Amino acid sequence: MSGERSPFVTLFRWGLRLLPRWFRDRFEDDMVADLATGLASVRTERGRLGALGYALRAYLDLVGEAWALRGHAPAARNASAGISPQSRGRLWIDDLRFAFRSLRRAPGWTGASLVILTLGIGGTASVFTVLNAVLIRPLPFDDPERLVSIWSVNTAQELTDGSSWENARDWVDRAHSLDDVALIFRPEFTNATVGDGGDPQRLQIGLVTANFFELLGIRAIAGRVFRSADRDEDPRIAVITTGLWAERYGNDPAVIGSTITIAGGETRVVGVVPSGMAIPRKDTQVFELLDPRPTDGRSRRHSDAYWVLGRLSPGSTVAEAAAEVDRVAGALARDYPEANAGRGVRVTPLRAEIVGDRVPMLLWTLLGSMALVLAIGGTNAAG
């Protein structure tokens, strides 16, 4: 069943009658020879079933070729006979005209296909843009994979809560998997009126410790960021974002060193940092120096005022840090039961804190749905 005597080849010869005579006269012998050679090779490698599959694909290709040549593609005869490079542009125009005529003859199918393809392409592109911005693109910090968010947890009620400065200090001192921690006054309580001689403006304020920008790896666009020495030397200072700098001050460099009022208190601007950090919140435009150390000598270990950011030690993982800090929390509960009894710790990657737990699954599901619509539309159009 190989070679020219194969029934597959005989059937293929009969099928060639579907093709125009001018095409058969030129290519029939070559097509039959190619089929016979291919069948012999496939049968040797994959047996009768492989040869059958090869023949079926050849028959389907033959039917498609016949449909294209029997009056449906005006440039096919010229293309098969050989054309000069100068004629190729003309043939492309003929093909485009044929395509538009075919679409015009079936307006309903054409409209439905365009709608499906538009929804598929547009939806997929839109969802991927959001997905890239939220999940794929790195956070705008140094080594963002080493940044974590740390919250206290009421183990009895399973409620997340803020932490105290004393507890955060003990976490970083006793947990070798943490390089450093920075504190943020809980952002839901930090909006204030900002004035500078012009119209006062209600803004979101980020109250952060002196090492906040260093921990994240944020550098100043103009001026400088906070330094540890500022806590004792110049605590009434602030840093503004590039968005506020452009909107309110027209990018005037003279704003560095000027005095503004925040909640009625005079504060000196020392620098400008990039907008869009999303920490503490996306709309935070002013960062004010925070010194969480008690001023009256009394412990504030029971306080829940601070959100804690941490940077992992090189080589440490989030899981290792979570286990280690949780052990430290257990020790603190035994040492200070009046403040820490029944309190654990939750450590999560900073990206998860910013994005949330459900958003990644939702975005991947939307992307898959849009890609499926696009695949269905493309398949239907190709069919």
Side-chain angles (χ1 to χ4, degrees):
M1 292 178 57
S2 61
E4 296 287 341
R5 294 190 301 276
S6 169
F8 293 148
V9 175
T10 302
L11 184 59
F12 187 74
R13 279 190 180 276
W14 280 96
L16 288 174
R17 297 179 181 274
L18 297 172
L19 300 171
R21 178 177 292 276
W22 61 266
F23 192 88
R24 295 202 310 271
D25 292 343
R26 184 175 180 85
F27 297 110
E28 180 175 359
D29 292 339
D30 292 337
M31 294 175 70
V32 171
D34 288 343
L35 178 67
T37 302
L39 279 172
S41 175
V42 171
R43 179 176 172 78
T44 301
E45 295 177 2
R46 290 178 285 175
R48 294 175 64 91
L49 288 179
L52 177 60
Y54 183 86
L56 289 176
R57 287 193 295 272
Y59 299 154
L60 292 175
D61 291 342
L62 175 62
V63 174
E65 187 73 15
W67 183 87
L69 293 174
R70 285 285 184 180
H72 292 282
R77 180 168 184 170
N78 293 332
S80 66
I83 57 173
S84 64
Q86 291 79 11
S87 302
R88 294 185 186 277
R90 180 65 181 174
L91 291 179
W92 276 106
I93 295 175
D94 290 343
D95 288 341
L96 288 175
R97 288 174 177 170
F98 165 68
F100 282 120
R101 285 199 302 269
S102 299
L103 294 175
R104 193 167 56 245
R105 285 197 296 268
W109 178 89
T110 301
S113 297
L114 288 176
V115 169
I116 293 174
L117 289 174
T118 301
L119 289 175
I121 295 172
T124 302
S126 300
V127 174
F128 180 79
T129 300
V130 177
L131 185 70
N132 179 58
V134 174
L135 298 178
I136 300 177
R137 185 183 304 164
L139 295 175
F141 311 124
D142 286 351
D143 294 330
E145 67 281 355
R146 291 174 54 199
L147 295 173
V148 294
S149 172
I150 310 175
W151 291 94
S152 290
V153 176
N154 185 318
T155 55
Q157 302 176 353
E158 296 185 355
L159 295 177
T160 299
D161 211 343
S163 305
S164 66
W165 172 75
E166 288 90 343
N167 282 345
R169 181 189 57 189
D170 285 335
W171 293 342
V172 72
D173 286 345
R174 302 189 191 185
H176 301 293
S177 54
L178 287 178
D179 253 359
D180 198 6
V181 295
L183 274 61
I184 304 171
F185 195 85
R186 295 179 63 172
E188 59 266 35
F189 307 126
T190 53
N191 55 64
T193 300
V194 176
D196 49 16
D199 294 333
Q201 187 175 0
R202 194 76 176 175
L203 297 175
Q204 188 66 34
I205 308 297
L207 292 170
V208 300
T209 51
N211 65 334
F212 171 79
F213 295 108
E214 180 183 359
L215 182 107
L216 294 178
I218 299 297
R219 297 161 186 81
I221 300 297
R224 66 175 180 87
V225 295
F226 300 145
R227 300 177 301 209
S228 297
D230 291 330
R231 295 184 305 177
D232 301 316
E233 297 176 0
D234 195 3
R236 294 295 297 179
I237 58 176
V239 168
I240 64 174
T241 64
T242 52
L244 182 65
W245 190 32
E247 175 187 339
R248 189 172 180 90
Y249 303 103
N251 294 328
D252 184 0
V255 72
I256 308 299
S258 66
T259 299
I260 62 176
T261 59
I262 301 178
E266 291 190 350
T267 305
R268 185 168 62 90
V269 177
V270 298
V272 179
V273 294
S275 298
M277 289 191 296
I279 298 177
R281 290 174 33 155
K282 292 182 179 179
D283 56 348
T284 300
Q285 293 183 286
V286 179
F287 294 88
E288 192 173 11
L289 180 62
L290 167 71
D291 186 354
R293 297 173 299 180
T295 57
D296 56 5
R298 296 181 179 181
S299 172
R300 298 288 187 272
R301 194 173 289 274
H302 62 278
S303 171
D304 61 357
Y306 303 113
W307 171 21
V308 181
L309 299 182
R311 178 170 287 277
L312 299 177
S313 302
S316 299
T317 66
V318 176
E320 292 171 349
E324 192 173 15
V325 175
D326 194 58
R327 286 195 296 270
V328 174
L332 293 178
R334 293 189 296 272
D335 296 342
Y336 307 98
E338 71 285 353
N340 289 328
R343 299 181 72 84
V345 178
R346 179 172 66 88
V347 180
T348 58
L350 183 58
R351 181 186 290 276
E353 181 70 40
I354 295 174
V355 174
D357 296 332
R358 299 182 180 180
V359 171
M361 180 61 68
L362 176 62
L363 288 177
W364 283 114
T365 301
L366 285 175
L367 182 63
S369 301
M370 292 297 99
L372 181 61
V373 171
L374 179 58
I376 293 173
T379 301
N380 289 338

